Amino acid sequence: MTAIGKTWLGVVAGMTVLLVGCGSGDPQRPGSSPARPTTTISAPISVATPSAAPAPAGRPSATSLAGRPTSVGVSTTPATTAQSPEPATGTVVLRTVTLSGIPVPGVPVHLSLQQPCDPSSKDIPLGETMETLRRDGVTDEQGRASFITEIGCYRFGMTAPAGTNPVPEGMHTLFLVTAGGTATGQLRFQDTAPEPACAEATIETELGVDPGPVATIPDCDGQWGVIRWDTPGDNQRVITRASGTWTTYVRFPHDICWSSASADGVPERLRSYFSC
């Protein structure tokens, strides 16, 4: 046992010498510098990294959750959409009266805004506009219907009540030009015809025509009138009464200009029956 112990001590001592020799590298002479420089390893120094300032309440941080940078300080409040201003308005008054100015109450009337159209031009281009707004009403005891409506070009008309005799004046237009202004349109009816001058039998007898077909007399004031019959073809006439007898002024179709008709005494209300 003593011999074995000594043997193990010798082995351990030899291994120790071998390890020392391997770790020392080439043998150095006393007083000489090592052949290779040594490397000094220092302990790592912790460097403080400035932390990002906390994002103000209600604003996104400098880095989005998705990892992409976002603009800091840019407001995320949605822009407010500006609303269109209200259109300027004025007043339109529609009147329903007889030729002598007597109010006709209870008449359904309508007002139709036509666009595109410049009201200052006082003209509605035919076939170039369309109705974009319609207002309806009924005339009061004074034969008036008022509308608060926007500036623009208008057509207007009525539905003649049963038993009335409206004047056929064609298409009616008016123009509301300025804000707060007023435009007036007029729709007219025949006055009660003085008997027997405007009676169908009187006119037909004095004209010497067949009294059989039913006649319509859309206009008559005892001096000038319009008559037509319920038969094929255009048989309408403008008639005038002189010396107590009805005579034909013009038959339709005709080519008499309004300037000539006016000079002959045809009243303004019948202008729509003439050309040029």
Side-chain angles (χ1 to χ4, degrees):
M1 292 295 292
T2 303
I4 295 173
K6 291 181 178 180
T7 302
W8 277 106
L9 288 174
V11 173
V12 172
M15 291 178 64
T16 302
V17 171
L18 178 61
L19 292 173
V20 171
C22 292
S24 63
D26 295 334
Q28 302 294 325
R29 289 191 299 271
S32 64
S33 300
R36 289 178 295 183
T38 59
T39 301
T40 302
I41 300 176
S42 303
I45 300 174
S46 176
V47 178
T49 302
S51 61
R59 294 186 179 179
S61 63
T63 305
S64 67
L65 294 177
R68 293 176 294 179
T70 60
S71 297
V72 177
V74 178
S75 174
T76 58
T77 303
T80 302
T81 303
Q83 296 189 3
S84 302
E86 292 294 327
T89 61
T91 302
V92 169
V93 178
L94 297 184
R95 300 182 64 230
T96 49
V97 297
T98 66
L99 292 174
S100 62
I102 300 172
V104 180
V107 180
V109 294
H110 62 267
L111 192 62
S112 172
L113 176 62
Q114 302 290 310
Q115 290 181 332
C117 181
D118 178 8
S120 63
S121 69
K122 300 296 181 70
D123 177 62
I124 300 179
L126 188 63
E128 298 180 17
T129 65
M130 64 181 294
E131 179 183 283
T132 59
L133 175 70
R134 180 184 171 101
R135 299 187 184 278
D136 295 88
V138 178
T139 56
D140 59 18
E141 291 300 318
Q142 286 72 47
R144 295 166 57 92
S146 297
F147 304 90
I148 303 298
T149 190
E150 62 189 75
I151 302 302
C153 307
Y154 289 88
R155 298 191 190 281
F156 65 96
M158 65 177 172
T159 301
T164 61
N165 190 5
V167 175
E169 295 178 305
M171 195 172 293
H172 296 81
T173 60
L174 61 81
F175 304 90
L176 189 57
V177 180
T178 59
T182 300
T184 301
Q186 187 167 264
L187 299 158
R188 302 189 301 173
F189 294 83
Q190 301 292 343
D191 287 293
T192 303
E195 293 293 345
C198 287
E200 178 182 349
T202 301
I203 294 174
E204 290 176 335
T205 298
E206 294 180 1
L207 289 178
V209 299
D210 182 4
V214 176
T216 299
I217 305 169
D219 191 298
C220 182
D221 64 0
Q223 297 298 318
W224 288 89
V226 177
I227 187 172
R228 57 178 177 265
W229 290 270
D230 187 15
T231 58
D234 191 351
N235 53 42
Q236 185 167 251
R237 305 183 189 190
V238 173
I239 56 177
T240 184
R241 187 174 175 82
S243 301
T245 302
W246 284 106
T247 60
T248 298
Y249 174 74
V250 66
R251 297 171 185 261
F252 288 77
H254 68 81
D255 57 1
I256 297 178
C257 290
W258 170 245
S259 57
S260 297
S262 179
D264 291 339
V266 178
E268 175 71 24
R269 72 176 191 274
L270 299 183
R271 183 170 184 166
S272 61
Y273 292 95
F274 298 86
S275 60
C276 53

